[in-house]
Amino acid sequence: MLALPAPAALAVDDKRVAQAFAEQARYLAKEAQSYEHGEGVPRDQPYAARLYCESARLGDPEAMYSLGWMYANGRGVERNDAYANTLFAMAAFIGNTHAERMQRYTGDYTGAVPDCLHTPSEILQQRWPVEGLIARLSAERQAVARMLADLAPQYGIQPALALAIGLTESALNPEALSPKNAMGVMQLIPETALRFNVSRPYDPEQNIRGGLAYLRWLLAYFEGDIALAAAGYNAGEGAVDRHRGVPPYRETRAYVDRILRHVGQHRHPFDSAVVGPSRMLRSLRLAAQEDHET
């Protein structure tokens, strides 16, 4: 029987998840600043505003302030004083001193915010009810699912995504073996098992930890893009880089579609300290910017 983690351990895991969200928000804000001012990338203020808005939605006060400034001055977005006032008030409440000073000139909190600050309705409707899902499994699979859901936050991964990968890979079977020698719950091929220090691939916990470590790496490498991370898990990150996106393999595309349907979202927090981003991502952005300017 698997032991449940102690409350103190769960509190630590919650802190790690919160830290991952904060790091993702900070990363997006820095990326937005680069596009706002054209620092190392083509200047694109509308794109910067979108990045700031996602960062602000995740709780970053600097992003709230910067987006408020853009709305106050009509830079990259249509000027909207009500949005600016609310964003400055939100940032000031969290402790941003620049926003506090701006409030003297712009006014008080109005409650009006741009649509991008609201959680998309499709995420609220489609996100997996993790506990309900686990309850419907057999007793044997419940034990594996619980282990997977409990270990996921230690790697900065949302349990819904971890379960989606585990169920799609092996139906949570610790003894699964594919024709390509992918092993265990997370279907680790020998090279991946070696890469993430898995010496006993049929030990459920060690296998799950190896798979989660790889998924964390992929999320960092593809900057939180769940579709690319899932494609990398299925076909390898090299295939994603070569094809500049999800590879055109029928199996991989079906795999990615299933993962996205399960989790109901396209972005996930990631730890940028794990690995630097794929160069392919920057080249895609530059190509998109050139198309936009053309």
Side-chain angles (χ1 to χ4, degrees):
M1 182 176 180
L2 297 174
L4 294 177
L10 290 176
V12 171
D13 289 347
D14 288 343
K15 289 181 180 178
R16 287 175 176 167
V17 173
Q19 181 180 0
F21 272 92
E23 289 175 353
Q24 166 76 341
R26 191 85 291 275
Y27 168 81
L28 289 171
K30 289 181 179 178
E31 192 81 350
Q33 187 176 34
S34 298
Y35 281 97
E36 181 186 3
H37 302 292
E39 298 172 350
V41 295
R43 190 177 185 185
D44 188 340
Q45 291 189 332
Y47 182 58
R50 292 197 297 272
L51 290 174
Y52 277 136
C53 204
E54 179 61 15
S55 177
R57 193 171 71 84
L58 293 174
D60 187 82
E62 292 293 332
M64 295 173 190
Y65 168 75
S66 297
L67 185 60
W69 180 265
M70 295 184 83
Y71 273 110
N73 293 277
R75 292 184 180 175
V77 293
E78 185 176 348
R79 179 172 176 172
N80 190 309
D81 291 337
Y83 288 172
N85 294 351
T86 298
L87 287 160
F88 287 143
M90 290 166 60
F93 180 79
I94 301 176
N96 185 283
T97 55
H98 298 296
E100 288 179 2
R101 287 196 291 270
M102 287 301 299
Q103 275 193 286
R104 301 173 189 172
Y105 307 101
T106 61
D108 297 326
Y109 176 87
T110 66
V113 294
D115 290 340
C116 59
L117 278 184
H118 296 293
T119 300
S121 58
E122 62 269 18
I123 291 179
L124 297 175
Q125 294 169 0
Q126 297 179 15
R127 181 166 292 176
W128 250 1
V130 171
E131 294 302 324
L133 171 70
I134 293 175
R136 292 196 299 271
L137 298 172
S138 66
E140 181 182 1
R141 294 293 186 263
Q142 277 189 28
V144 177
R146 174 55 58 197
M147 178 186 290
L148 184 54
D150 288 343
L151 289 175
Q154 296 182 21
Y155 294 82
I157 296 172
Q158 296 167 353
L161 176 57
L163 281 168
I165 296 291
L167 282 163
T168 303
E169 287 289 339
S170 70
L172 303 177
N173 180 4
E175 299 178 359
L177 176 65
S178 80
K180 297 180 181 179
N181 289 323
M183 300 170 284
V185 177
M186 305 299 279
Q187 289 289 274
L188 305 178
I189 60 174
E191 292 84 353
T192 304
L194 180 64
R195 179 178 171 186
F196 291 96
N197 302 313
V198 177
S199 58
R200 300 189 306 277
Y202 290 107
D203 174 82
E205 181 173 348
Q206 193 174 127
N207 184 285
I208 287 170
R209 286 187 179 278
L212 292 172
Y214 184 33
L215 185 55
R216 174 177 60 185
W217 188 95
L218 288 166
L219 286 168
Y221 188 66
F222 293 119
E223 296 184 332
D225 188 309
I226 293 177
L228 296 183
Y233 199 100
N234 178 262
E237 63 271 14
V240 177
D241 281 339
R242 287 194 303 275
H243 290 281
R244 295 167 63 84
V246 177
Y249 314 145
R250 180 179 299 177
E251 174 192 336
T252 301
R253 296 209 164 175
Y255 181 95
V256 170
D257 287 344
R258 182 173 179 180
I259 298 300
L260 292 176
R261 286 198 306 271
H262 283 331
V263 299
Q265 63 191 72
H266 292 266
R267 304 291 304 176
H268 189 288
F270 64 93
D271 183 353
S272 59
V274 171
V275 66
S278 165
R279 293 182 179 179
M280 176 268 296
L281 297 179
R282 180 55 60 88
S283 68
L284 286 180
R285 288 181 187 138
L286 291 174
Q289 175 64 23
E290 290 173 358
D291 289 344
H292 175 73
E293 291 177 349
T294 301

